[in-house]
């Protein structure tokens, strides 16, 4: 038996250990990947091969594996096969893929090695076996050529090994041994002699690019472990187009300020005459538009072209404003027409280029700098011209920012004018001019929003700008006396509520096609207009009546149409009406005869009746909307409604007593109120006793409320009525309350007796 150590094997081993020490980090990561792949790929347990005795030679007649083959089944671990693999008798080859590449089960036929030289290592050297031979190694020869196996060789290497039983990579040793679990020959893993960790190929250590397989781009450690790697974004000042847009916007602003200085400040300083200033400004604006159109058609000129054109168009608009208001060269109507043409031309150019930024910069530049030129009422008209000029764009373009910038400047300027006219001593004609501006803004907002949502039902920006456009007309009544203010608010309320109610009319709804968000905007704005109308047509005594009547209307419509928005508005009006009722008929007023006779009367009685109607309508509406399906909800509604109803009944009784004009009317009203309290307590107790078996929770709540109300009625009877009532009224109150107490007590005792003994019923 030959026990000599092959020097070529020693050279290969030395090379492998050197590469291992240099790339230990890479080896650790790759082993993690390999371990994950082996765990995720289920396969049957490999057959256990008994270890070969260290010094035993192969028995006679036992065939040795062919050169370049590996006993024990298919070979794993490499991108390619370096030799044929045969299975010994009695073993079944395991058809498992390595590294995700399908390797068919071993059929015993030799697999030809791939042609071509081995790839160079990461350091520019050949593979490990190549270094041992000093020549170019092929994929099929670990050391430069296949050497037949024989005694003392390692199967799969094709080279003489370090002798059987020797430490290191010996045949029967643990670790990388032939028959041991792990990376041994014939076992699942990286068999010796195959591409991977075996001799003859630097594999994962030296010849591959760091981080991946041969021929694939390097990957990071997070990518190896499946962790998504966040792509680093460049700073904003390095992103394409950001700096250019910032500079363009800054240039637009600075240039327009220069145009305004030319038109206004130069006039104040006495430089040039009006004609040269206007001519220079107009010519400069036209030149900017021409240059912008020329630049926009060139590569990379979109940003610059938009900025130049926007500056020129806005400058031309400002020149028209100066000609009309500052110098008075043209009639205002003519000036408005020219300004409309310039603004429409800018918007048309923006639509042609598909640049929302162009239209937005024109609107912002003209709107912000027009007040520098003039602060007269003509300014409102020029801002409204901007709103009108950009309105048709929304029919074909979904440009939400243009919605905002075309509406807000006109709205803000009109609100300022309304505040100045309402607080100051503006002439009647000026007030009507401001009112006209508010009407036009609201009309443009409503008509534009309806036209837009017919094209795009989901355009919420149109509804929001419509809501903003209604603000000036809602504030306009503050400039006028009561009659005119009521006419303005009532007319606007009719328009808004009619538009919202069109969704409830099938034929009209098909034509108008108003989406829900626009209906909400119109009904809320209409509710504010109705509130203004109520305040205008009533006084302090009748205001609660008007509010409760409006609440009845909204609650009735909401319950009929099952509209939560209308019901919520009705509930809000009811709450406001209750606050107004408490202001006139508060607890202090109801408990003091002097204040009661001074403040209460038929109006508070009617308000109390309207409050009771609103409470009943609210309960019905809540049931229609499905808000009191649970017993707990019904109990809460009953408690709140009962307290409010009892207070309204008390106010009604005392107000009627005071309204009679009798000296004892106040006392009679309180006596009647005490009896009503006790009657309500009796009704609650009887209801609870009757529903105790079917709805225990509601019955218990009714019983508790009835008992509490009974205690309150008795407390009022002894603490207030006994001290204030006299004669027949006191006796009548005590008699009625006593009879009701006897009735309730008898029914209470009978109900619990029947519950204890069911046979006693009947």
């Amino acid at each position: 038996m030959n026990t000599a150590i092959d020097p070529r094997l020693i050279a290969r081993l030395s090379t492998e250990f050197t590469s291992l020490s240099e790339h230990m980090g890479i080896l650790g990561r790759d082993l993690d990947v390999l371990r994950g792949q082996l765990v995720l790929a289920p396969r049957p347990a490999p057959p256990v091969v008994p270890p070969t005795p260290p010094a035993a030679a192969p028995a006679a007649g036992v065939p040795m594996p062919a050169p370049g083959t590996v006993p024990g089944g298919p070979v794993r671990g490499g991108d390619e096969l370096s030799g044929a693999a045969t299975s010994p008798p009695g073993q079944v080859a395991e058809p498992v893929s390595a590294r995700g590449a399908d390797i068919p089960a071993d059929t015993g036929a030799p697999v030809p090695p791939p042609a071509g030289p081995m790839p160079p290592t990461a350091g520019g050297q050949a593979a490990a076996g190549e270094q041992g031979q000093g020549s170019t190694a092929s994929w099929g020869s670990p050391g430069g050529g296949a050497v037949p196996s024989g005694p003392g060789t390692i199967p799969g290497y094709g080279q003489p090994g370090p002798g059987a039983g020797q430490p290191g990579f010996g045949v029967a040793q643990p670790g990388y041994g032939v028959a041991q679990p792990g990376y041994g020959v014939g076992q699942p893993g990286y068999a010796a002699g195959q591409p991977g960790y075996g001799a003859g190929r630097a594999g994962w250590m030296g010849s591959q690019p760091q981080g991946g397989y041969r021929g694939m781009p390097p990957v990071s450690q997070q990518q190896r472990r499946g962790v998504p790697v966040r792509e680093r974004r460049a700073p904003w000042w390095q992103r394409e187009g950001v700096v250019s847009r910032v500079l363009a916007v800054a240039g637009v602003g600075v240039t327009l300020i220069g145009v305004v200085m030319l038109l206004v400040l130069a006039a104040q300083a006495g430089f040039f005459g009006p004609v040269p200033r206007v001519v220079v400004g107009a010519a400069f604006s036209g030149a900017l538009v021409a240059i912008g159109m020329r630049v926009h058609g060139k590569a990379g000129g979109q940003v610059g072209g938009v900025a130049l054109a926007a500056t020129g168009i806005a400058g031309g608009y400002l020149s028209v404003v100066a000609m009309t208001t500052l110098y008075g060269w043209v009639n205002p109507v003519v000036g408005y027409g020219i300004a409309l043409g310039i603004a429409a031309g800018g918007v048309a150019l923006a639509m042609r280029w598909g640049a929302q930024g162009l239209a937005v910069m024109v609107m912002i530049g003209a709107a912000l700098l027009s007040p520098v030129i003039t602060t007269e009422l003509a300014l409102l008209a020029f801002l409204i011209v901007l709103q009108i000029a950009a309105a048709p764009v929304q029919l074909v373009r979904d440009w939400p920012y243009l919605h905002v910038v075309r509406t807000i400047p006109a709205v803000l300027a009109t609100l300022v004018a309304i505040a100045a006219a309402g607080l100051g001593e503006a002439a009647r004609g000026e007030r009507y001019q401001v009112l006209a501006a508010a009407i036009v803004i609201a009309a443009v907002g409503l008509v534009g929003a309806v036209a837009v949502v017919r094209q795009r039902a989901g355009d919420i920006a149109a509804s929001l700008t419509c809501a903003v456009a209604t603000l000036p007309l809602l504030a306009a009544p503050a400039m006028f006396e009561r009659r005119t203010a009521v006419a303005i608010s009532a007319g606007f309320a009719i328009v808004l509520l009619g538009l919202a109610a069109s969704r409830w009319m099938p034929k009209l709804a098909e034509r108008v096609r108003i989406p829900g968000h626009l209906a909400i905007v119109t009904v809320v704005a209409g509710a504010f207009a109705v509130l203004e109308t109520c305040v205008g047509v009533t006084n302090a005594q009748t205001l609660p009546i008007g509010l409760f009547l409006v609440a009845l209307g909204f609650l009735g419509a909401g319950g009929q149409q099952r509209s939560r928005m209308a019901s919520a508005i009705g509930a809000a009006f009811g709450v406001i009406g209750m606050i107004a009722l408490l202001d006139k008929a508060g607890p202090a007023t109801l408990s003091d005869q002097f204040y009661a006779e001074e403040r209460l009367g038929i109006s508070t009685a009617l308000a109390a009746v309207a409050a009771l109607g609103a409470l009943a309508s609210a309960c019905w509406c809540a049931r229609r909307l499905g808000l009191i399906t649970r017993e707990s909800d019904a109990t809460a509604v009953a408690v709140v409604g009962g307290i409010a109803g009892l207070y309204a009944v008390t106010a009604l009784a005392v107000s009627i007593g005071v309204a009679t004009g009798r000296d004892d009317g106040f006392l009679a009203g309180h006596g009647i109120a005490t009896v009503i309290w006790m009657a309500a307590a009796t009704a609650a107790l009887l209801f609870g006793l009757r529903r105790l078996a079917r709805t225990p929770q509601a019955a218990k709540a009714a019983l508790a409320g009835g008992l509490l109300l009974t205690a309150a009625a008795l407390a009022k009877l002894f603490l207030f009525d006994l001290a204030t009532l006299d004669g027949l009224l006191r006796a009548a109150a005590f008699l009625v309350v006593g009879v009701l107490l006897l009735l309730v007590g008898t029914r209470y005792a009978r109900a619990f007796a029947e519950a204890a003994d069911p046979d006693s019923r009947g």
Side-chain angles (χ1 to χ4, degrees), residues 279-309:
V279 170
V280 169
F284 182 68
S285 300
L288 288 178
V289 174
I291 296 173
M293 296 179 67
R294 184 177 181 84
V295 170
H296 187 272
K298 297 183 178 180
Q302 287 81 5
V303 175
V306 168
L308 290 171

Side-chain angles (χ1 to χ4, degrees), residues 339-431:
L340 179 62
I342 293 175
V347 172
L349 184 61
M351 293 179 62
R352 179 183 175 184
W353 289 352
Q356 180 181 192
L358 172 58
V360 169
M361 284 190 288
V362 169
M363 298 294 160
I364 293 178
L368 291 181
L369 295 177
S370 292
V372 179
I373 298 177
T374 180
T375 57
E376 300 175 358
L377 291 180
L379 174 64
L380 301 181
F382 280 106
L383 296 178
I384 293 173
V385 165
L386 293 176
Q387 182 191 16
I388 296 174
V393 183
Q394 305 301 131
L395 299 178
V396 293
R397 298 280 187 176
D398 186 11
W399 288 352
Y401 298 113
L402 186 59
H403 264 311
V404 176
V405 299
R406 75 180 178 88
T407 305
I408 290 182
V411 170
L412 292 178
T414 308
L415 289 175
V416 171
I418 291 173
L423 298 176
E425 295 294 334
R428 186 178 183 86
E430 294 180 355
R431 296 183 180 184

Side-chain angles (χ1 to χ4, degrees), residues 87-495:
S87 301
Q91 277 189 334
V92 180
E94 183 185 2
V96 184
S97 62
R99 291 195 202 170
D102 296 333
I103 300 178
D106 184 32
T107 59
V111 180
M118 286 182 64
T121 62
Q125 298 176 349
E130 170 190 348
Q131 294 176 0
Q133 292 295 326
S135 61
T136 303
S138 66
W139 286 95
S141 57
V147 179
S149 302
T153 63
I154 299 177
Y157 275 87
Q159 299 295 336
Q166 296 298 324
F169 288 91
V171 176
Q173 297 300 324
Y176 292 91
V178 176
Q180 299 299 324
Y183 295 91
V185 178
Q187 300 297 330
Y190 290 86
Q194 297 301 322
Y197 287 99
R201 180 180 176 185
W204 289 62
M205 291 182 292
S207 63
Q208 299 298 331
Q210 181 175 354
Y213 304 106
R214 182 175 63 86
M216 295 181 65
V219 294
S220 64
Q221 185 174 359
Q222 290 84 356
Q223 290 174 331
R224 290 179 184 276
R225 296 181 179 177
V227 179
V229 180
R230 219 175 146 186
E231 197 175 311
R232 292 185 60 187
R233 298 185 62 185
W236 66 268
W237 48 272
Q238 291 182 354
R239 296 176 199 165
E240 183 180 0
V242 174
V243 175
S244 60
R245 288 183 174 88
V246 172
L247 294 177
V249 172
V252 171
V254 172
T255 307
L256 289 178
I257 292 174
V259 172
V260 172
M261 290 181 177
L262 177 65
L263 296 173
V264 179
L265 299 182
Q268 296 176 357
F271 298 141
F272 308 106
V275 175
R277 289 194 293 268
V278 175
V279 170
V280 169
F284 182 68
S285 300
L288 288 178
V289 174
I291 296 173
M293 296 179 67
R294 184 177 181 84
V295 170
H296 187 272
K298 297 183 178 180
Q302 287 81 5
V303 175
V306 168
L308 290 171
T311 307
I313 295 170
Y317 194 92
L318 295 174
S319 299
V320 174
V321 174
M323 290 167 54
T324 306
T325 61
L326 190 61
Y327 303 122
W329 291 351
V330 295
N331 186 274
V333 177
V334 177
Y336 301 152
I338 298 174
L340 179 62
I342 293 175
V347 172
L349 184 61
M351 293 179 62
R352 179 183 175 184
W353 289 352
Q356 180 181 192
L358 172 58
V360 169
M361 284 190 288
V362 169
M363 298 294 160
I364 293 178
L368 291 181
L369 295 177
S370 292
V372 179
I373 298 177
T374 180
T375 57
E376 300 175 358
L377 291 180
L379 174 64
L380 301 181
F382 280 106
L383 296 178
I384 293 173
V385 165
L386 293 176
Q387 182 191 16
I388 296 174
V393 183
Q394 305 301 131
L395 299 178
V396 293
R397 298 280 187 176
D398 186 11
W399 288 352
Y401 298 113
L402 186 59
H403 264 311
V404 176
V405 299
R406 75 180 178 88
T407 305
I408 290 182
V411 170
L412 292 178
T414 308
L415 289 175
V416 171
I418 291 173
L423 298 176
E425 295 294 334
R428 186 178 183 86
E430 294 180 355
R431 296 183 180 184
Y432 278 105
Q433 290 180 11
V434 176
L435 175 62
I439 293 175
V440 172
I441 292 172
V444 173
L446 285 173
V447 174
V450 172
V452 168
V453 297
R454 284 170 58 88
Q455 303 293 330
R456 297 183 302 275
D459 196 339
I460 300 179
S463 298
L464 295 178
T465 53
C466 176
V468 175
T470 60
L471 296 179
L473 194 53
L474 290 175
M479 298 186 297
F480 301 96
E481 67 278 1
R482 180 185 293 266
R483 184 178 300 178
T484 307
V486 169
I488 295 171
S489 58
F492 196 33
I494 292 173
V495 173

